[in-house]
Amino acid sequence: QVQLVESGGGLVPAGGSLRLSCAASGRTFSNYAMAWFRQAPGKEREFVAAIPWSGGRTSYADSVKGRFFISRSNAKNPVYLQMNSLKPEDTAVYFCAAALGVVITTTPNRYDFWGQGTQVTVSS
């Protein structure tokens, strides 16, 4: 099994920045898409950003374009989410996810593994 663990969440003032990290443990895998989703209280899970296994081409939700940036670096922390110009509406639990055998997708149901989430709270 694959375990994904998010870190980097916290409390930040509006306009501030945070960088989330997702570390994978367990089996080694390749040819997978990685993504970030978020869920605010009383809201449905929302796609945020995705990146292929090879990096490069990325996909972002319209609500975060120009502010959030997803990247991959190494096996210990395969995906990052740099969040800039944070707004109170960005407040949510952020989840890391992996989709095996998929280049890139924004569909939650295609993701096979999920982390437990990290809380991001943006104050006004």
Side-chain angles (χ1 to χ4, degrees):
Q1 295 182 336
V2 175
Q3 180 70 52
L4 302 177
V5 180
E6 304 93 339
S7 62
L11 176 65
V12 63
S17 299
L18 283 175
R19 187 182 71 172
L20 305 183
S21 299
C22 178
S25 63
R27 66 177 292 270
T28 301
F29 51 90
S30 60
N31 296 318
Y32 58 94
M34 296 292 293
W36 289 95
F37 293 82
R38 66 187 183 186
Q39 187 166 18
K43 301 290 185 64
E44 295 295 319
R45 186 180 299 171
E46 175 189 21
F47 169 76
V48 177
I51 189 168
W53 69 271
S54 60
R57 182 169 64 94
T58 56
S59 181
Y60 297 94
D62 289 342
S63 60
V64 306
K65 284 182 179 178
R67 299 189 299 120
F68 291 11
F69 302 92
I70 189 171
S71 62
R72 306 186 71 140
S73 60
N74 54 55
K76 293 183 178 180
N77 286 295
V79 64
Y80 299 93
L81 184 67
Q82 178 66 46
M83 304 184 294
N84 301 319
S85 301
L86 283 162
K87 305 174 181 179
E89 50 263 45
D90 294 319
T91 295
V93 176
Y94 284 71
F95 299 91
C96 176
L100 304 185
V102 177
V103 176
I104 191 168
T105 180
T106 63
T107 304
N109 291 341
R110 293 190 179 182
Y111 283 83
D112 302 291
F113 304 102
W114 295 81
Q116 292 299 305
T118 185
Q119 177 70 48
V120 172
T121 302
V122 184
S123 64
S124 59

